[in-house]
Amino acid sequence: MSITRRHFVQIASTGAATLSWPALAQGRTIKLGFVSPQTGPLAPFGEADKWVIAGINEAFKGGIDLAGGKAAVQVILKDSQSSPNRAGEVANDLILKDKVDLMLVSSTPETTNPVNDACELNEVPCISTMAPWQPWFFGRKGDPAKGFNWTYHFFWGLEDVIAVFTNLWGSVATNKKVGGLFPNDGDGNAWGDIKLGFPPVLTQKGYALTDPGRYQNLTQTFASHIAAFKRDGTDIITGVVIPPDMKTFLTQARQQGLRPKVVSVGKALLFPGAVEALGELGDGLSTEVWWTPSHPYKSSLTGMTAKQLADKYEADTKKQWTQPIGFAHALFEMAADVLKRSKDPAKRESIRDALAATSTNTIVGPVKFGGQGPFKNVSKTPLVGGQWVKGSKRPYELVVVNNDTAKEIPVGGKLKLMA
């Protein structure tokens, strides 16, 4: 099998993720752009991405069967550096320079939104995940009556995390006084929104929320928040916090005598490395759970179960499994499904039409656009509640302790008040 010098130079210069020699000889390579935070404060979201891509390369090594014949697949990973501006820049590079056929993006509105906006503007089909749908949709000024033409998203919403957290809190005895940690970013503004976020629902459910206002990410002090929470006697702390700020808050809260009974926080408590870095402060913290090895789903691409995927990650990397593994893998499941159903994969419009008609089962659960979410561009995935407890093999293990919102996901214990 021969390959032209021009093709060789193209492959070497782009760092092709995987090669299918027969397909390259035919001159057809599908390019998948993938933007995620590999560095910066959001890097824990992207920690497993390169490992996931290595597995995807293996799955795609023989090419992919599409309408018109077999094609090779090239994955081009770009680092957002945890910056919205950088995310937009690399998205434009992927679109205009690399000329990707399909864009994939993950991990918080600061990454997903600028990439989706670039794709919508340039008419490139895009699949995104790992950001609640409200900041993804309304943060981009989405019109519920129209939706978007080129960009689609699968994840849960604020209504789901509120339900999960209040189910957790309702299972233990507290005074129902809640302190809110909402930063001045896409997630924080959405979670703290007085109409669409936590405040109206918590009031409806009989909780009293103390919200001292927005703070800047990577702040050096939470003194004003801690003082407000102590003043109001809050038993519960909630919010959506990046990992460095969680450590700052918990350390200062302990120093200043704030001892909540429950701490249920999004984002910062998702990752074993971030919780382990908290030392003894990590014991008993609770969080939303999107994916675990016990989720009863399997990959449509490889046939692996959630447990098999997590076990392989731990065996290959010697690290503890982390929730984004499932959703990063699911992005590529969906990409393969969309490309296979596209009537003409050489045309972005055809890929977009196949994407809009998606109805498939993935390792994170079923994904269906136009029937499993609030708008045509959104498909919701299941969410449950978990707690970090001291483990036998690891410093901390994440245990599902409430599944009222998704009974198909098994529980491993009950929520316990913090020591």
Side-chain angles (χ1 to χ4, degrees):
M1 183 66 65
S2 63
I3 184 166
T4 67
R5 182 179 182 278
R6 178 174 62 87
H7 275 138
F8 179 82
V9 171
Q10 287 175 340
I11 296 162
S13 65
T14 58
T18 186
L19 306 179
S20 171
W21 297 103
L24 284 175
Q26 297 165 15
R28 185 69 181 114
T29 299
I30 291 290
K31 293 183 178 181
L32 302 178
F34 183 23
V35 181
S36 73
Q38 297 297 299
T39 58
L42 299 177
F45 280 91
E47 178 183 0
D49 288 345
K50 291 180 180 178
W51 178 86
V52 169
I53 291 173
I56 296 303
N57 290 347
E58 182 67 21
F60 286 156
K61 69 179 180 181
I64 185 172
D65 292 317
L66 306 177
K70 187 181 288 289
V73 177
Q74 176 185 346
V75 181
I76 307 173
L77 174 65
K78 295 288 188 179
D79 180 11
S80 72
Q81 300 175 4
S82 300
S83 163
N85 290 337
R86 182 61 179 168
E89 290 172 4
V90 298
N92 281 312
D93 286 345
L94 288 167
I95 293 167
L96 301 175
K97 295 180 181 179
D98 296 300
K99 300 188 184 302
V100 296
D101 298 283
L102 176 62
M103 186 78 78
L104 311 177
V105 59
S106 71
S107 308
T108 81
E110 280 62 51
T111 314
T112 60
N113 290 14
V115 174
N116 276 268
D117 286 344
C119 289
E120 194 73 24
L121 179 64
N122 290 282
E123 299 185 343
V124 174
C126 178
I127 311 172
S128 69
T129 190
M130 286 193 257
W133 68 259
Q134 284 93 340
W136 177 85
F137 190 87
F138 294 115
R140 300 173 54 217
K141 297 180 172 57
D143 183 346
K146 297 179 180 179
F148 298 106
N149 293 322
W150 293 87
T151 52
Y152 289 78
H153 187 77
F154 67 104
F155 209 55
W156 42 265
L158 295 182
E159 71 280 12
D160 302 306
V161 72
I162 293 171
V164 165
F165 282 3
T166 53
N167 286 339
L168 286 172
W169 306 339
S171 69
V172 292
T174 71
N175 62 9
K176 303 190 78 170
K177 294 182 178 181
V178 182
L181 293 172
F182 304 122
N184 186 24
D185 63 14
D187 274 332
N189 290 324
W191 286 46
D193 189 277
I194 60 173
K195 293 183 179 179
L196 300 174
F198 270 60
V201 184
L202 292 186
T203 299
Q204 183 182 19
K205 291 180 175 288
Y207 290 89
L209 175 66
T210 297
D211 181 0
R214 305 298 163 262
Y215 64 89
Q216 297 302 316
N217 285 320
L218 299 177
T219 184
Q220 297 301 305
T221 178
F222 282 95
S224 61
H225 285 71
I226 293 169
F229 299 159
K230 290 177 65 177
R231 178 198 68 212
D232 293 346
T234 55
D235 272 357
I236 303 167
I237 302 297
T238 193
V240 55
V241 183
I242 60 174
D245 288 346
M246 191 75 255
K247 185 171 186 178
T248 300
F249 172 80
L250 290 172
T251 300
Q252 294 179 359
R254 179 67 61 90
Q255 293 170 345
Q256 297 173 39
L258 177 65
R259 291 293 188 107
K261 293 182 177 180
V262 181
V263 176
S264 302
V265 172
K267 193 180 288 188
L269 304 181
L270 298 169
F271 314 109
V275 176
E276 187 175 338
L278 295 173
E280 65 174 30
L281 296 175
D283 190 20
L285 300 175
S286 49
T287 189
E288 79 277 17
V289 178
W290 345 316
W291 185 82
T292 70
S294 62
H295 274 50
Y297 310 119
K298 66 179 182 179
S299 169
S300 60
L301 194 58
T302 66
M304 295 179 73
T305 64
K307 186 177 188 307
Q308 288 172 333
L309 185 66
D311 287 348
K312 181 168 174 54
Y313 175 79
E314 292 192 339
D316 290 349
T317 67
K318 310 307 178 187
K319 296 179 180 179
Q320 194 169 355
W321 66 269
T322 183
Q323 294 193 53
I325 293 171
F327 279 83
H329 183 92
L331 276 171
F332 291 97
E333 288 185 75
M334 292 182 62
D337 173 72
V338 167
L339 291 168
K340 289 176 181 178
R341 288 186 291 103
S342 175
K343 295 180 180 179
D344 186 356
K347 295 181 179 179
R348 288 170 171 171
E349 293 86 352
S350 180
I351 297 175
R352 185 272 315 273
D353 292 344
L355 174 56
T358 293
S359 179
T360 189
N361 293 315
T362 74
I363 203 158
V364 300
V367 176
K368 181 178 182 179
F369 293 121
Q372 195 172 293
F375 311 119
K376 68 176 185 178
N377 303 87
V378 175
S379 179
K380 297 215 306 180
T381 52
L383 189 70
V384 292
Q387 184 172 37
W388 289 98
V389 300
K390 292 183 178 179
S392 56
K393 297 181 179 180
R394 307 278 188 176
Y396 290 109
E397 295 178 354
L398 182 59
V399 177
V400 175
V401 293
N402 188 283
N403 68 350
D404 290 348
T405 49
K407 291 294 188 182
E408 68 273 21
I409 298 168
V411 297
K414 294 182 179 181
L415 182 71
K416 297 179 182 179
L417 294 177
M418 296 183 65

